[in-house]
Amino acid sequence: MTNGAIAAKGLRKSYGDKVVLDGIDLTVPAGTVFSLLGPNGAGKTTAVKILSTLITADAGDLHVGGHDLTADPQAVRAAIGVTGQFSAVDGLITGEENMLLMADLHHLSRREGRRTAAELLERFDLTEAARKPASTYSGGMKRRLDIAMTLVGSPRIIFLDEPTTGLDPRSRHNMWQIIRELVTGGVTVFLTTQYLEEADQLADRIAVLNDGRIAAEGTAEELKRLIPGGHVRLRFSDPSVYQEAASTLRGTRDDDSLTLQIPSDGTQRELRAVLDHLDSAGIEADELTVHTPDLDDVFFALTGGTDQQRSQPTLPSQPKESVR
Ligand code: ADP
């Protein structure tokens, strides 16, 4: 497969005067999850619509599943599945009927269609509800049915446009599990989401879309290291040891909780420097934790274009904590 399961170079799209995608480059290796993040109106859905052949780009060298999007959109369509905002679920018929309809669309034989439908309904825990109209399904069940319908065609590449928007936490976690299983099975997932935690949980690589361009791209950890705010926190129980540490290490003191906060990018090198310093001074902390900015911090720092965001400090002084 050329240049990964999905490869875009110089992707452009405008609506009238409005440039939505201003020369986007991205590559998604097969069998990985790629997440496109961006504020509302950034162009995420436009990118999904273009890459899934629903609309055409103004320019760009675009390949999906090894096929050229312009030259061979039919082949692209045969390789992909799309779920999300353009849900194919018909509420008036049952879950099973929805599945059989998809089987017909994919020209499966009657027998093969029934077998595939039953298997997928079982896999997504919909067997019990299979004979009920889809309109009676909960949000989570509808999303599961939607993905099950997409899988009838055995796509190797799946576009998920905000797959968990509006779902309760349990259904969201269910959906994450489903996505992880798809990837384990070798499927490539192109995911857009407004939940940064979702990208953090699922994506191998994340691209942040802002003003029509990719503002940053990398693993969640790489993106978090792009912005300051990370630190090492040392906690002491002995006030005299704390005082000694505070006098030798540059950092922010919290005399009440006997903690010192030392700016750090969270890399091994910086961590080792702190530890070496403590060792050579003969100081032992009771607890050492590394805190990196979370994706929310990254997102706001990279896309801080709205008035609401601009009125706030660009970077939070107290990043959310995660112990590593
Ligand atoms: P996102 O999915 O990131 O919220 P979209 O891709 O839906 O963003 O939209 C990006 C921009 O393109 C928005 O400003 C939107 O108003 C505009 N847009 C999307 N579709 C159309 C269209 N058919 N005609 C005109 N403008 C559009």
Side-chain angles (χ1 to χ4, degrees):
M1 204 170 283
T2 49
N3 305 319
I6 302 169
K9 239 179 140 32
L11 168 55
R12 290 181 188 281
K13 178 76 182 178
S14 300
Y15 287 111
D17 293 346
K18 183 168 172 53
V19 180
V20 178
L21 300 172
D22 190 12
I24 303 284
D25 298 341
L26 51 88
T27 306
V28 185
T32 67
V33 180
F34 181 88
S35 179
L36 194 59
L37 282 180
N40 259 341
K44 302 181 295 296
T45 298
T46 303
V48 168
K49 282 184 177 168
I50 290 170
L51 293 171
S52 60
T53 78
L54 287 174
I55 57 173
T56 55
D58 297 338
D61 183 15
L62 311 173
H63 286 83
V64 173
H67 308 287
D68 187 311
L69 262 169
T70 318
D72 205 355
Q74 272 309 116
V76 171
R77 255 168 243 146
I80 66 169
V82 189
T83 73
Q85 296 187 8
F86 352 94
S87 166
V89 174
D90 182 343
L92 294 177
I93 58 177
T94 70
E96 186 179 45
E97 286 162 347
N98 268 288
M99 294 294 289
L100 293 174
L101 209 57
M102 283 313 274
D104 276 352
L105 281 174
H106 285 281
H107 308 296
L108 299 190
S109 70
R110 221 180 129 76
R111 196 147 152 248
E112 184 70 359
R114 292 214 161 269
R115 193 183 59 78
T116 307
E119 253 175 40
L120 285 166
L121 287 166
E122 174 76 32
R123 176 167 159 200
F124 291 108
D125 203 15
L126 290 167
T127 305
E128 220 171 281
R131 301 272 160 90
K132 294 184 183 135
S135 59
T136 65
Y137 289 13
S138 70
M141 289 163 77
K142 272 187 200 141
R143 301 289 170 94
R144 296 209 300 278
L145 178 60
D146 202 8
I147 292 215
M149 287 165 66
T150 303
L151 293 184
V152 169
S154 309
R156 302 308 295 158
I157 300 167
I158 296 186
F159 291 89
L160 297 171
D161 197 14
E162 303 200 2
T164 66
T165 295
L167 293 189
D168 62 74
R170 183 192 294 270
S171 304
R172 175 167 305 146
H173 281 262
N174 270 343
M175 190 56 77
W176 290 355
Q177 198 48 40
I178 288 169
I179 295 169
R180 287 195 186 102
E181 283 165 14
L182 289 176
V183 176
T184 306
V187 170
T188 308
V189 174
F190 189 101
L191 170 82
T192 75
T193 179
Q194 49 175 291
Y195 300 110
L196 304 167
E197 189 198 355
E198 185 157 292
D200 206 354
Q201 284 278 334
L202 296 175
D204 294 292
R205 295 189 75 76
I206 298 166
V208 181
L209 195 57
N210 191 46
D211 271 347
R213 292 174 180 271
I214 305 274
E217 204 240 322
T219 64
E221 296 309 317
E222 283 166 355
L223 292 181
K224 289 172 195 173
R225 280 206 296 272
L226 280 181
I227 64 159
H231 61 269
V232 172
R233 193 162 68 159
L234 302 169
R235 194 177 56 75
F236 301 86
S237 51
D238 183 335
S240 63
V241 178
Y242 165 70
Q243 288 298 347
E244 200 184 337
S247 63
T248 73
L249 281 167
R250 270 191 308 134
T252 312
R253 304 169 58 131
D254 183 340
D255 293 347
D256 291 335
S257 61
L258 303 184
T259 54
L260 268 182
Q261 214 168 282
I262 301 148
S264 160
D265 62 5
T267 58
Q268 189 180 337
R269 190 150 52 89
E270 287 213 349
L271 198 55
R272 185 178 293 128
V274 173
L275 291 173
D276 284 349
H277 193 96
L278 289 170
D279 273 350
S280 62
I283 298 169
E284 197 160 325
D286 291 277
E287 187 183 285
L288 180 148
T289 42
V290 179
H291 304 263
T292 46
D294 67 14
L295 269 188
D296 285 298
D297 303 329
V298 178
F299 188 74
F300 289 126
L302 291 172
T303 68
T306 71
D307 291 343
Q308 193 199 351
Q309 286 155 15
R310 222 181 272 133
S311 66
Q312 302 190 347
T314 322
L315 296 169
S317 56
Q318 191 70 40
K320 280 188 200 127
E321 296 177 354
S322 59
V323 179
R324 273 151 221 279

